């Protein structure tokens, strides 16, 4: 099926963590700016993020963690559009209103018929309802209905695990921060279900290194092509 070319673009620790701990009150975007040895160079990640695709996929949980539900409407309009997967929901009507005021286009993907997005009247808001989440079908829909050619994925470890197991990644672009986090319950770059037998080795995906870049303040950027 036709789908966008996808890139997993993430900030992670040396030990593969993408957040500070197991609580949703903790978040790498907020916390690592306070850590000596990390705060000095972390802006490089956000500078690189400005050069990613004009379509970005994320989760409602991540959006809530970074404070979207507390923001007032934006007076600045970005050319970027978001696809946000949100079932619980994690986003509320204020968060959705902020995102719509800030983004060119917002697509909410949900299995929740009572999602607050249904009560929002925003011209640039689209809701895609699925009885059960189907990421491969979603990517096909984005390519064919919304003409999304390239998509940056920045979701959490569980959703990233889904995309890995369904072979939805084309490229990996990782910025490694000089920090060790630890904690077996702390989210990593890719979580989700583990394989349990040698018969499932086809669910693993090899990668080819495209670029290795030493950044300032001991940060490293690694770019890979995922082998098919």
């Amino acid at each position: 099926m036709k789908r966008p070319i996808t890139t997993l673009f993430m900030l992670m620790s040396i030990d593969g963590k993408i957040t500070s701990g197991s609580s949703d009150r903790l978040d790498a975007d907020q916390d690592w700016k306070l850590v000596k040895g990390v705060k000095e160079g972390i802006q490089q990640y956000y500078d690189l993020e400005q050069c990613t695709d004009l379509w970005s996929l994320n989760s409602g949980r991540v959006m809530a963690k970074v404070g979207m539900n507390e923001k007032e409407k934006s007076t600045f309009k970005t050319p970027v559009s978001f696809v946000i997967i949100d079932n619980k929901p994690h986003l509320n009507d204020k968060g959705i209103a902020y995102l719509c005021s800030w983004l060119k286009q917002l697509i909410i993907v949900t299995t929740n018929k009572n999602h607050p997005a249904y009560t929002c009247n925003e011209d640039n808001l689209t809701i895609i309802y699925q009885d059960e989440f189907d990421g491969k079908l979603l990517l096909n829909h984005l390519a064919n209905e919304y003409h999304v050619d390239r998509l940056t994925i920045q979701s959490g470890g569980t959703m990233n695990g889904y995309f890995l197991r369904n072979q939805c990644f084309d490229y990996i672009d990782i910025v490694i921060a000089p920090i060790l986090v630890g904690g077996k319950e702390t989210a990593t770059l890719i979580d989700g279900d583990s394989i349990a037998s040698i018969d499932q080795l086809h669910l693993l995906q090899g990668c080819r290194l495209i670029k290795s870049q030493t950044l300032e303040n001991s940060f490293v950027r690694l770019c890979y092509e995922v082998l098919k």
Side-chain angles (χ1 to χ4, degrees):
M1 292 191 299
K2 181 181 177 182
R3 65 169 178 79
I5 296 171
T6 61
T7 300
L8 176 64
F9 178 75
M10 299 285 287
L11 173 71
M12 76 176 190
S13 67
I14 296 171
D15 55 335
K17 307 298 184 182
I18 58 173
T19 187
S20 305
S22 59
S23 170
D24 277 359
R25 293 188 297 273
L26 297 169
D27 181 72
D29 287 316
Q30 301 170 11
D31 306 337
W32 294 3
K33 294 176 182 178
L34 306 176
V35 179
K36 182 180 179 181
V38 183
K39 62 183 180 181
E40 295 84 356
I42 198 169
Q43 183 60 41
Q44 296 169 102
Y45 168 75
Y46 301 108
D47 292 342
L48 290 169
E49 188 176 39
Q50 296 303 310
C51 302
T52 56
D53 301 314
L54 291 176
W55 280 91
S56 178
L57 183 145
N58 216 312
S59 69
R61 182 181 180 184
V62 171
M63 292 291 99
K65 283 183 66 175
V66 299
M68 294 298 176
N69 288 332
E70 286 75 50
K71 291 181 179 288
E72 300 299 329
K73 285 190 174 183
S74 175
T75 57
F76 168 76
K77 199 76 169 179
T78 177
V80 175
S81 298
F82 276 13
V83 179
I84 298 179
I85 301 165
D86 189 35
N87 298 323
K88 189 175 180 178
H90 292 279
L91 281 173
N92 60 27
D93 52 356
K94 185 175 182 180
I96 295 167
Y98 167 76
L99 287 167
C100 287
S101 70
W102 175 49
L103 299 169
K104 179 178 181 181
Q105 188 170 356
L106 173 62
I107 297 177
I108 299 288
V109 184
T110 187
T111 60
N112 185 348
K113 292 182 178 180
N114 296 312
H115 195 284
Y118 284 107
T119 65
C120 296
N121 185 21
E122 304 285 352
D123 292 339
N124 59 340
L125 171 64
T126 301
I127 304 169
I128 297 177
Y129 174 79
Q130 295 184 328
D131 289 323
E132 182 177 348
F133 178 71
D134 187 329
K136 296 181 76 172
L137 183 63
L138 170 62
L139 293 178
N140 176 257
H141 194 61
L142 292 175
N144 288 284
E145 299 298 324
Y146 298 94
H147 309 293
V148 180
D149 296 321
R150 303 188 69 94
L151 178 70
T152 296
I153 296 176
Q154 294 181 281
S155 52
T158 301
M159 186 59 63
N160 291 343
Y162 173 93
F163 287 125
L164 169 66
R165 297 297 183 230
N166 286 275
Q167 299 185 338
C168 294
F169 291 134
D170 296 307
Y171 296 95
I172 310 295
D173 190 348
I174 302 300
V175 176
I176 302 175
I179 185 173
L180 295 168
V181 175
K184 66 179 182 180
E185 295 179 352
T186 302
T188 66
L189 182 69
I190 299 180
D191 292 323
D193 295 331
S194 301
I195 68 168
S197 72
I198 196 169
D199 295 336
Q200 295 176 297
L201 285 177
H202 66 281
L203 296 176
L204 311 184
Q205 289 195 273
C207 299
R208 180 178 66 88
L209 183 65
I210 298 173
K211 179 167 64 175
S212 175
Q213 184 179 4
T214 300
L215 304 176
E216 296 179 0
N217 300 102
S218 300
F219 280 71
V220 176
R221 182 186 185 188
L222 299 175
C223 302
Y224 292 91
E225 177 184 5
V226 179
L227 302 178
K228 303 297 183 181

